[in-house]
Amino acid sequence: MKKTSLSTDRLHLVLMLVLTFSTGVIDAVGYLGLDRVFTGNMTGNVVLLGMAFAGGSDLPVLRPALALVFFMVGAAIAGRLLRRAPEGWSGRTTIALAAVAGVMVALAVVTALVDVAGDETLGSITTSALGLVMGIQAATAKRLKVAEITTVVVTSTITGLASDSRIAGGKSPFWVRRTAAIALILAGAVAGAAALKIDLWAGIALSAVLTCIVTVIGQVRSRRDSRATLADVYR
């Protein structure tokens, strides 16, 4: 009986969709549990800041601003790390996502032991750290070049789904992955909101576990592909 498995490109798509779900979880945790801060969707923070600067009542400024800055720092760090990396998944991809998972695990432990939501400074540090790792995640996903999947935003995905649809006269390319990305970030937000009923740490821990799984699977496949390539060379 012939053994079948996902192609590497298809596996990368699945892994990035898992991270898209994870982003929904983290954004729900940040917005609902940490004073209305988006740590993955930076468009939301820019809009919040704009409304706050225009005099919007009771809108947060410091945490969205810090999340935005640290997201950019995280993206810059990942960009520097991956600049000389080969195409596809590499050891540096694993390092980047392992760093994301490690920080999330640390944050889950801290938030389980300390009431960061009730402390202005600790809350700001938490949202900044989440913004940092989501920036790393987004830049790493961008480097993998999985078409139509950014893991942190679905506005362009929704636009593409509608504008390229058969109703609009198009051929609906990538409609399955586009729909999946939208559904998964929504499902992640639902899961994140539900996790807050347990405690703040639960949603962060869920995202940490998912990121760990993605990192391990991606690394294992990368090493398997490398061995297969070497075997073909020496065959």
Side-chain angles (χ1 to χ4, degrees):
M1 187 174 179
K2 187 177 180 180
K3 184 178 179 180
T4 60
S5 63
L6 285 175
S7 68
T8 297
D9 287 345
R10 184 59 59 89
L11 178 64
H12 288 171
L13 170 60
V14 172
L15 295 181
M16 293 306 100
L17 287 173
V18 172
L19 292 182
T20 301
F21 176 88
S22 177
T23 296
V25 174
I26 288 297
D27 266 339
V29 168
Y31 192 84
L32 298 176
L34 291 166
D35 194 24
R36 292 174 289 179
V37 181
F38 292 104
T39 54
N41 177 15
M42 290 301 111
T43 302
N45 284 334
V46 172
V47 172
L48 282 174
L49 289 171
M51 292 188 295
F53 292 153
S57 60
D58 299 324
L59 289 174
V61 174
L62 179 60
R63 289 186 186 178
L66 287 173
L68 178 60
V69 169
F70 276 91
F71 183 95
M72 294 176 67
V73 171
I77 291 171
R80 172 68 67 175
L81 174 66
L82 299 169
R83 186 69 58 200
R84 298 178 183 273
E87 292 293 325
W89 195 292
S90 67
R92 295 192 178 200
T93 307
T94 300
I95 291 170
L97 291 180
V100 172
V103 172
M104 284 187 175
V105 168
L107 288 174
V109 172
V110 170
T111 53
L113 298 175
V114 182
D115 180 20
V116 300
D119 185 283
E120 184 67 27
T121 300
L122 291 177
S124 296
I125 291 172
T126 301
T127 53
S128 297
L130 288 173
L132 178 76
V133 295
M134 295 308 289
I136 294 174
Q137 175 187 296
T140 304
K142 182 176 182 293
R143 177 71 179 180
L144 281 176
K145 297 180 180 178
V146 177
E148 299 298 314
I149 305 297
T150 68
T151 77
V152 294
V153 64
V154 293
T155 302
S156 58
T157 307
I158 294 170
T159 302
L161 181 65
S163 64
D164 295 336
S165 68
R166 296 189 184 280
I167 295 174
K171 296 183 179 180
S172 294
F174 303 116
W175 74 269
V176 173
R177 67 179 62 186
R178 284 169 168 171
T179 302
I182 296 164
L184 283 168
I185 204 166
L186 174 63
V190 172
L196 284 173
K197 295 181 179 180
I198 300 173
D199 203 348
L200 189 65
W201 65 266
I204 300 174
L206 173 58
S207 287
V209 169
L210 292 173
T211 306
C212 286
I213 291 171
V214 167
T215 304
V216 170
I217 292 175
Q219 173 65 10
V220 168
R221 173 56 68 92
S222 177
R223 293 189 67 178
R224 196 189 83 175
D225 289 348
S226 295
R227 287 196 298 268
T229 300
L230 286 174
D232 289 339
V233 169
Y234 290 106
R235 184 172 298 169

